[in-house]
Amino acid sequence: MMPIVTCPGCMAEKDIDAVLTAQSNQNVIFRCPDCGYEVKDIQTSKG
């Protein structure tokens, strides 16, 4: 079972793999498919 992520824009709940995209620099992009809310270059513990 995948972790559930809540969009801060519209409060929709989605599986983590539906809203996060890995970047080559080890950061991630969050994008909500429902409302289009997007945050780029989210740093991870490796990025």
Side-chain angles (χ1 to χ4, degrees), residues 18-36:
V19 296
L20 293 182
T21 304
Q23 296 180 283
S24 60
N25 62 1
Q26 298 192 7
N27 290 349
V28 295
I29 298 172
F30 172 90
R31 183 170 193 286
C32 178
D34 289 352
C35 71

Side-chain angles (χ1 to χ4, degrees), residues 1-8 10-20 30-37:
M1 186 168 167
M2 288 288 196
I4 301 297
V5 177
T6 302
C7 174
C10 69
M11 305 310 281
E13 294 183 341
K14 300 287 181 186
D15 285 345
I16 196 168
D17 63 344
V19 296
L20 293 182
F30 172 90
R31 183 170 193 286
C32 178
D34 289 352
C35 71
Y37 180 88

